[in-house]
Amino acid sequence: MNSPLVSLLRLVLCSFLFRVPIKRETMAATEIARQAGEGARAVPLAGHVGFDSMPDQLVNKSVSHGFCFNILCVGETGLGKSTLMDTLFNTKFEGEPMQHNQPGVQLKSNTYELQESNVRLKLNVVNTVGFGDQINKEDSYKPIVEFIDTQFEAYLQEELKIKRTLHSYHDTRIHTCLYFISPTGHSLKSLDLVTMKKLDSKVNIIPIIAKSDAISKSELTKFKIKITSELVSNGVQIYQFPTDDETVAEINSTMNGHLPFAVVGSTEEVKIGNKMVRARQYPWGTVQVENENHCDFVKLREMLIRVNMEDLREQTHTRHYELYRRCKLEEMGFKDTDPDSKPFSLQETYEAKRNEFMGELQKKEEEMRQMFVQRVKEKEAELKEAEKELHEKFDRLKKLHQDEKKKLEDKKKSLDDELNTFKQKKTAAELLQSQAQQAGGSTTLKRDKERKNFF
């Protein structure tokens, strides 16, 4: 992980992502350091020097910085995931009640600061809310896989920064996945097999049978055998406790045979004899959490926290994260050897990738230009067609206007003729009326004169 080649790869990758030029002096210095490391020879010491205290220095430095451990709890609703976390760390993790009314699976992460003696632990517990609650469970695993990949990507981006702060970076990569299996006593559900198959290459899976007090011991033994058989036949790789270290090889080898662990969680204390123990009390009896005759909780705690916590962290970094990182680099075109099986040249690969990127950029630019020209032509044709339609409409309206104008002029002429005729008739009527009035006046005078003569 910290070899000169990897360091140079990071440097070139940073240069590719952030356009930072690579100095020839840096590459030459890295190559010299690599050659010097390969040619080192053993030299005996004539006396005590003191660098044998480096392990103590490393321990003191690690203790001062503290440790982090991230647990992913996957399982259906009601299997006691939160209760088991409280039982494992002998505390009560306060948290908001989870709502199970979401249409899909939601991942909720909570971070806690724990301290035991002088060792500080930053614990991150991720719970899968709503897992297995849907009618269609086909895509239930996808949010979990995306969440794990997101944590890997965040660490990779921090690692590729020019100014890195990995010593203070909050590592959120999942170190272990506790997969809670429902105590049916028959076989694994299809959801369990599909989900574990999708996760086994991304996280250390430790399968556990939740609420194991729900089935008898004989059924539990058969259930464990059935689960192991189904995992093997379906090619699901679960986490195996390491046996390469002599100090823990024996206990880890024994515990590998006990997987999956059958556990019971409880934070309630019950008085058994003269001491208080954590247990679950039923009308038919009491199940003691820390009694290995009752369940495998002690085995799980020993293997997960007290013996193999550092190995889980290391496996996450050296196996799962490296796999994700390698796939990402291969997607970007980086390889260990060129097509001719010659040593891999980072500078040439960087230049080739940059030229390929520029070629794709120019190609896309040309495609966009052609598309733009095509759309302009189509738009011009549409505008010309619209203009033609407008001219035709204008001509129709103009002709209609002229016809209406002619009709109005004809109607006006007709009205003017009628008006002239009316005026003539009116004049004639007035003339006749005046003549009649004059005739009537002369008749009246004649009568008055005759009347006077009579008298």
Side-chain angles (χ1 to χ4, degrees):
M1 182 64 189
N2 296 320
S3 64
L5 182 59
V6 174
S7 301
L8 186 58
L9 178 60
R10 291 175 182 167
L11 184 62
V12 173
L13 191 56
C14 288
S15 175
F16 173 73
L17 293 177
F18 304 105
R19 300 293 187 268
V20 179
I22 302 175
K23 296 182 179 180
R24 295 182 179 272
E25 294 81 356
T26 303
M27 296 180 65
T30 305
E31 180 64 21
I32 291 173
R34 184 182 65 82
Q35 294 176 358
E38 292 178 352
R41 58 193 180 94
V43 178
L45 300 179
H48 182 262
V49 177
F51 58 78
D52 58 353
S53 66
M54 286 191 66
D56 296 332
Q57 297 176 33
L58 182 61
V59 169
N60 294 334
K61 186 176 180 180
S62 299
V63 170
S64 63
H65 285 167
F67 302 89
C68 70
F69 192 61
N70 306 318
I71 302 177
L72 172 65
C73 298
V74 181
E76 298 179 74
T77 303
L79 290 181
K81 298 185 289 293
S82 301
T83 303
L84 184 65
M85 288 298 101
D86 294 345
T87 311
L88 270 175
F89 293 94
N90 198 18
T91 185
K92 179 65 177 177
F93 294 120
E94 298 294 338
E96 299 178 359
M98 300 178 184
Q99 302 296 327
H100 294 271
N101 53 5
Q102 300 295 331
V105 179
Q106 304 290 325
L107 280 87
K108 187 174 181 181
S109 177
N110 292 305
T111 304
Y112 308 96
E113 293 281 352
L114 306 178
Q115 183 165 351
E116 188 174 26
S117 299
N118 63 333
V119 178
R120 291 180 294 107
L121 177 67
K122 182 177 287 187
L123 178 66
N124 191 31
V125 180
V126 183
N127 203 348
T128 52
V129 183
F131 181 78
D133 291 349
Q134 297 76 32
I135 296 176
N136 183 4
K137 303 177 177 62
E138 183 178 357
D139 297 332
S140 295
Y141 68 90
K142 288 185 178 179
I144 305 173
V145 173
E146 291 173 359
F147 179 84
I148 296 173
D149 286 343
T150 301
Q151 312 316 310
F152 283 153
E153 182 65 25
Y155 190 87
L156 179 61
Q157 292 301 323
E158 180 66 27
E159 196 176 44
L160 295 177
K161 285 182 179 179
I162 298 175
K163 298 177 67 175
R164 301 183 299 179
T165 56
L166 290 176
H167 63 282
S168 60
Y169 175 74
H170 181 202
D171 187 4
T172 57
R173 295 174 298 175
I174 301 300
H175 297 129
T176 184
C177 168
L178 296 181
Y179 196 94
F180 289 70
I181 300 171
S182 180
T184 60
H186 301 293
S187 62
L188 286 173
K189 299 180 181 179
S190 299
L191 174 64
D192 299 329
L193 287 172
V194 171
T195 304
M196 282 194 277
K197 184 62 179 175
K198 295 294 183 180
L199 295 180
D200 64 356
S201 62
K202 296 180 178 295
V203 68
N204 302 310
I205 300 177
I206 300 179
I208 58 178
I209 302 172
K211 296 185 176 181
S212 61
D213 54 339
I215 54 179
S216 65
K217 280 192 174 183
S218 59
E219 291 176 330
L220 189 59
T221 303
K222 294 178 182 178
F223 192 32
K224 283 188 175 185
I225 297 173
K226 183 67 174 177
I227 291 173
T228 304
S229 175
E230 289 184 346
L231 292 176
V232 172
S233 60
N234 287 276
V236 178
Q237 297 181 358
I238 62 175
Y239 174 73
Q240 294 291 320
F241 303 119
T243 57
D244 51 353
D245 186 355
E246 295 180 357
T247 57
V248 294
E250 184 178 353
I251 184 174
N252 280 349
S253 178
T254 303
M255 291 302 170
N256 282 330
H258 287 280
L259 289 172
F261 293 130
V263 299
V264 176
S266 176
T267 55
E268 299 179 2
E269 290 191 347
V270 179
K271 189 173 183 180
I272 305 293
N274 295 325
K275 64 177 183 177
M276 302 294 291
V277 296
R278 287 182 293 176
R280 299 187 72 88
Q281 202 161 18
Y282 297 100
W284 47 262
T286 303
V287 178
Q288 300 178 33
V289 172
E290 297 185 2
N291 189 334
E292 295 191 44
N293 293 323
H294 292 184
C295 68
D296 297 333
F297 172 78
V298 174
K299 296 182 178 67
L300 173 65
R301 184 179 60 190
E302 289 287 330
M303 293 297 98
L304 179 67
I305 300 175
R306 298 181 181 177
V307 178
N308 297 302
M309 179 181 283
E310 182 56 32
D311 184 74
L312 288 166
R313 287 157 43 90
E314 183 180 351
Q315 286 291 322
T316 298
H317 184 78
T318 59
R319 179 186 170 194
H320 302 296
Y321 170 70
E322 282 299 316
L323 177 62
Y324 177 85
R325 176 179 168 276
R326 185 176 73 241
C327 293
K328 277 290 183 181
L329 294 180
E330 288 177 351
E331 287 178 6
M332 299 177 68
F334 291 95
K335 297 180 180 179
D336 292 333
T337 57
D338 59 13
D340 299 330
S341 299
K342 293 181 179 180
F344 174 63
S345 173
L346 291 173
Q347 185 67 28
E348 292 178 2
T349 303
Y350 164 70
E351 292 296 337
K353 197 67 182 177
R354 188 174 185 277
N355 293 335
E356 181 184 350
F357 175 76
M358 294 302 295
E360 291 179 358
L361 190 63
Q362 292 177 358
K363 183 179 178 181
K364 289 183 179 180
E365 185 179 357
E366 184 63 27
E367 291 176 355
M368 292 179 66
R369 186 184 291 108
Q370 293 177 0
M371 187 181 297
F372 176 74
V373 171
Q374 181 68 22
R375 289 187 177 180
V376 168
K377 290 181 180 179
E378 292 175 357
K379 198 66 178 178
E380 286 179 351
E382 291 177 3
L383 290 175
K384 287 182 180 179
E385 186 68 23
E387 185 179 6
K388 183 180 178 181
E389 292 178 359
L390 287 175
H391 280 300
E392 292 176 354
K393 187 176 181 181
F394 176 74
D395 292 339
R396 290 196 302 269
L397 291 175
K398 186 177 180 180
K399 184 179 180 182
L400 182 63
H401 174 69
Q402 291 175 353
D403 294 342
E404 291 291 335
K405 184 177 179 181
K406 186 177 179 181
K407 289 180 181 179
L408 289 174
E409 288 177 352
D410 293 342
K411 193 171 183 179
K412 181 181 178 184
K413 185 178 179 181
S414 176
L415 290 174
D416 289 340
D417 293 341
E418 291 180 3
L419 182 61
N420 292 331
T421 303
F422 175 74
K423 286 181 178 180
Q424 291 176 1
K425 290 181 178 181
K426 182 180 179 182
T427 303
E430 290 176 351
L431 180 61
L432 290 173
Q433 187 177 2
S434 63
Q435 290 177 355
Q437 288 177 355
Q438 290 177 1
S442 59
T443 304
T444 303
L445 290 174
K446 186 177 180 180
R447 287 178 181 175
D448 290 341
K449 187 177 181 180
E450 289 177 353
R451 192 177 294 136
K452 289 179 181 180
N453 290 333
F454 178 77
F455 291 106

